């Protein structure tokens, strides 16, 4: 492999500078390459900056979507948010998630995890307000996957959603896993007790 | 004269000995390298590297007599893809090294496998050096950061893949939940229906046809029901059959 390589049949369109190949096997690689090329053209030096320098614009936009979503969920009294409010919040959080995960590949992945982790947890809450349990459960799980520690709310939300769908045993396993990570978080251990109580009742 | 012949003998002997040893050693080494070269490579062909180098040697298109030079930006993108693939391979090598050397010590794997692994490791070192040089040639000092960027690209790709998987699972869950809810509500409706004849005072003979129909309905609903509800349904079916 040192000094040799396989010459691949690649063609470049002289006008659009996009690459193509007559053999189908190369298509996925060349499509990815063309997309990366377009992203690189937009950069000042045409080389990706080191991951330590991040353009703050995108973070600001993500933050804005999150704040707007939170504001939409907030209600004056302690009454739960209405369905329309929840739908609006879901829309805003979804925009935020698209922005956070659509970050160019060379920007720090830790930042993506952080931002998307919070947004998924918030969207899970909005889904729960709209009584859309499967979506809420999936979003909470995604949030935990991105941000494992210090994310007790997301652990609790998936547990709650599973209970609402009647999957008590699965919820029990999930919450136990959460307690291992989070220590004895208050809401989480409360939910664990509730699940244990329900399983006892249905067991008898 | 006598002395010269006497001296020639040990020298001839020495020459023969050294000559035969040298031939043997060179033959042995040649065979060894040939064998290690014929071993299967550890990784699949490095497509991104081939793309990058093919772009450097791009052939002119049939209708042109001279190839258009590939712009630097494309080469940079291709090099970045190549570095990302290198990162994946380096991670694979790092993960495999410890367990593989343990297996080798225990004699669970053959020496061939270890040779293949060592060759891949050496090749990756050369490959990394090569990429850094190419990066420095394309932009000043890019070699220092190209692998940092490539590493983030790999991590980000993993994150996106994982998020995609979990969200797809959520969509599958939604379908399951829609079905589950339907079966729960239909079961609930049936229970309501069942309670009406049971509440009436023994309408057995007059409503025989009616209850037959219900029993069929319940059985048809059986297979579609989720695992948790199947048990109670089986119970109601049996009860009905027992009553008849």
């Amino acid at each position: 492999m040192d000094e040799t390589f396989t010459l691949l049949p690649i063609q470049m369109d002289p006008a659009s500078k996009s690459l193509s190949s007559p053999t189908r096997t190369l298509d996925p690689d060349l499509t990815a390459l063309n997309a990366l090329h377009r992203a690189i053209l937009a950069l000042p030096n045409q080389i990706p900056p080191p991951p330590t320098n991040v353009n703050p614009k995108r973070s600001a936009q993500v933050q804005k979507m999150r704040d707007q979503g939170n504001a939409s969920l907030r209600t004056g009294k302690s009454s739960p948010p209405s369905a329309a409010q929840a739908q609006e919040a879901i829309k805003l959080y979804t925009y935020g998630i698209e922005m956070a995960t659509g970050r160019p590949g060379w920007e720090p992945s830790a930042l993506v995890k952080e931002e998307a982790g919070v947004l998924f947890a918030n969207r899970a809450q909005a889904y729960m307000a709209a009584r859309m349990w499967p979506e809420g459960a999936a979003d909470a799980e995604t949030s935990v996957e991105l941000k494992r520690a210090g994310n007790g709310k997301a652990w609790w939300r998936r547990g709650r959603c599973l209970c609402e769908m009647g999957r008590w045993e699965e919820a029990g396993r999930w919450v136990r896993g959460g307690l291992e990570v989070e220590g004895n978080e208050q809401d989480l251990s409360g939910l664990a007790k509730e699940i244990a109580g329900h399983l006892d009742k249905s067991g008898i | 004269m006598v002395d010269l012949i006497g001296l020639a003998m040990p020298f001839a002997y020495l020459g023969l000995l050294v000559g035969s040893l040298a031939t043997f050693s060179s033959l042995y080494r040649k065979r060894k390298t040939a064998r290690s070269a014929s071993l299967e490579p550890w990784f699949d062909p490095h497509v991104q590297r081939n793309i990058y180098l093919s772009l450097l040697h791009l052939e002119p298109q049939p209708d042109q007599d001279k190839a258009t030079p590939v712009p630097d930006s494309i080469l940079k993108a291709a090099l970045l893809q190549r570095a990302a693939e290198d990162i994946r391979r380096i991670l694979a090598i790092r993960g495999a090294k410890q367990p593989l050397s343990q297996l080798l010590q225990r004699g669970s794997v053959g020496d061939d496998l270890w040779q293949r692994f060592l060759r891949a490791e050496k090749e990756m070192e050369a490959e990394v050096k090569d990429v850094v040089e190419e990066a420095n040639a394309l932009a000043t000092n890019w070699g220092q950061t190209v692998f940092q960027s490539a590493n983030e690209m790999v991590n980000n790709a993993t994150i996106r893949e994982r998020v995609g998987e979990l969200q797809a699972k959520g969509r599958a869950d939604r379908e399951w939940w829609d079905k589950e809810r339907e079966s729960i509500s239909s079961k609930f409706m049936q229970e309501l229906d069942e309670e009406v004849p049971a509440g009436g005072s023994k309408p057995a003979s007059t409503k025989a046809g009616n209850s037959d129909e219900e029993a069929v309905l319940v059985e048809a609903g059986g297979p579609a029901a989720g695992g948790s509800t199947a048990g109670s349904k089986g119970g109601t079916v049996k009860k009905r059959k027992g009553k008849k």
Side-chain angles (χ1 to χ4, degrees):
Chain A
M1 180 164 137
D2 285 345
E3 281 93 28
T4 57
F5 74 98
T6 322
L7 188 69
L8 300 167
I10 300 177
Q11 286 160 3
M12 186 181 68
D13 182 11
S16 69
K17 310 282 182 211
S18 72
L19 303 168
S20 60
S21 165
T23 48
R24 298 283 102 185
T25 44
L26 281 177
D27 276 357
D29 292 306
L30 289 182
T31 321
L33 182 54
N34 284 330
L36 185 62
H37 176 226
R38 281 194 296 277
I40 277 188
L41 276 181
L43 293 167
N45 266 342
Q46 301 196 341
I47 60 162
T52 39
N53 303 359
V54 183
N55 187 353
K57 240 188 223 166
R58 193 180 282 264
S59 291
Q61 275 175 324
V62 169
Q63 181 70 36
K64 198 173 133 201
M65 282 299 146
R66 197 171 115 197
D67 290 344
Q68 283 182 4
N70 291 352
S72 157
L73 268 191
R74 203 171 296 134
T75 45
K77 303 270 153 40
S78 56
S79 61
S82 69
Q85 276 178 314
Q87 290 300 339
E88 179 66 19
I90 290 169
K91 209 172 77 192
L92 289 165
Y93 288 139
T94 307
Y95 286 144
I97 287 170
E98 273 163 15
M99 260 178 241
T101 51
R103 219 174 244 294
W106 52 81
E107 292 195 355
S109 52
L111 198 62
V112 177
K113 277 189 174 180
E114 178 70 34
E115 287 175 351
V118 173
L119 279 165
F120 272 115
N122 289 8
R123 198 172 70 172
Q125 190 191 9
Y127 274 133
M128 286 172 77
R131 306 182 65 77
M132 293 164 76
W133 312 118
E135 285 83 358
D139 272 6
E141 193 180 7
T142 314
S143 171
V144 166
E145 178 76 22
L146 293 173
K147 191 166 171 272
R148 209 162 174 78
N151 205 355
K153 277 184 194 166
W155 285 100
W156 181 85
R157 281 173 196 157
R158 182 172 166 80
R160 187 80 255 169
C161 285
L162 289 175
C163 291
E164 294 290 345
M165 290 191 285
R167 288 149 75 169
W168 293 91
E169 280 170 30
E170 201 181 337
R173 277 197 302 277
W174 174 260
V175 170
R176 266 197 301 283
L179 284 172
E180 271 169 29
V181 176
E182 296 292 329
N184 272 330
E185 217 250 351
Q186 208 177 0
D187 289 344
L188 214 52
S189 33
L191 184 62
K193 268 186 209 125
E194 189 189 328
I195 292 168
H198 180 90
L199 285 176
D200 271 353
K201 230 190 293 166
S202 58
I204 293 164
Chain B
M1 281 309 265
V2 180
D3 277 348
L4 267 181
I5 292 169
L7 266 176
M9 283 302 282
F11 275 116
Y13 170 73
L14 269 179
L16 215 70
L17 192 71
V18 170
S20 62
L21 280 177
T23 340
F24 172 76
S25 120
S26 83
L27 269 180
Y28 177 75
R29 276 191 207 156
K30 248 182 226 164
R31 275 200 200 153
K32 205 175 156 189
T33 49
R35 206 174 49 205
S36 81
S38 71
L39 285 175
E40 215 182 317
W42 189 264
F43 291 112
D44 291 337
H46 197 320
V47 181
Q48 279 75 15
R49 178 176 183 272
N50 286 338
I51 289 180
Y52 179 77
L53 290 169
S54 299
L55 285 174
L56 286 181
H57 303 91
L58 199 65
E59 305 255 324
Q61 280 181 1
D63 50 333
Q64 294 168 311
D65 42 317
K66 232 179 80 193
T68 359
V70 178
D72 267 6
S73 50
I74 290 192
L75 287 179
K76 285 171 185 168
L79 190 65
L80 211 52
Q81 295 273 43
R82 183 178 161 188
E85 177 61 26
D86 287 345
I87 293 273
R88 281 191 201 102
R89 291 183 176 210
I90 289 169
L91 289 178
I93 283 183
R94 252 187 227 162
K97 189 161 191 177
Q98 184 79 15
L100 196 62
S101 71
Q102 272 176 8
L103 285 177
L104 186 76
Q105 272 171 13
R106 273 190 232 146
S108 308
V109 294
D111 194 46
D112 274 7
L113 195 70
W114 184 245
Q115 289 303 327
R116 280 171 60 196
F117 178 77
L118 287 183
R119 206 173 119 219
E121 203 179 19
K122 215 181 274 170
E123 275 176 2
M124 280 317 298
E125 271 171 34
E127 164 73 9
V128 167
K129 252 183 229 155
D130 198 31
V131 168
V132 169
E133 273 166 27
E134 296 280 332
N136 279 332
L138 282 171
T140 34
N141 288 334
W142 190 28
Q144 290 170 7
T145 57
V146 61
F147 275 105
Q148 288 178 31
S149 302
N151 187 32
E152 295 302 334
M153 280 172 64
V154 172
N155 287 343
N156 275 319
T158 332
I159 291 175
R160 260 160 246 188
E161 203 179 307
R162 196 72 194 112
V163 167
E165 271 170 31
L166 289 172
Q167 293 290 308
K169 216 172 90 184
R171 280 191 288 281
D173 252 9
R174 157 59 60 185
E175 275 171 32
W176 166 84
W177 175 239
D178 284 344
K179 270 187 206 144
E180 177 78 6
R181 215 166 31 177
E182 225 167 77
S183 82
I184 288 175
S185 68
S186 70
K187 184 186 146 210
F188 189 63
M189 293 305 282
Q190 271 168 18
E191 271 174 10
L192 279 184
D193 284 351
E194 277 165 25
E195 268 167 25
V196 175
S201 51
K202 305 249 173 188
S205 56
T206 49
K207 286 203 175 176
N210 198 356
S211 77
D212 238 22
E213 233 175 75
E214 266 171 38
V216 170
L217 261 178
V218 168
E219 272 178 295
S228 58
T229 55
S232 59
K233 270 197 180 155
T236 56
V237 172
K238 262 182 211 155
K239 238 191 267 166
R240 288 236 151 243
K241 276 182 184 163
K243 261 187 196 169
K244 267 194 282 173

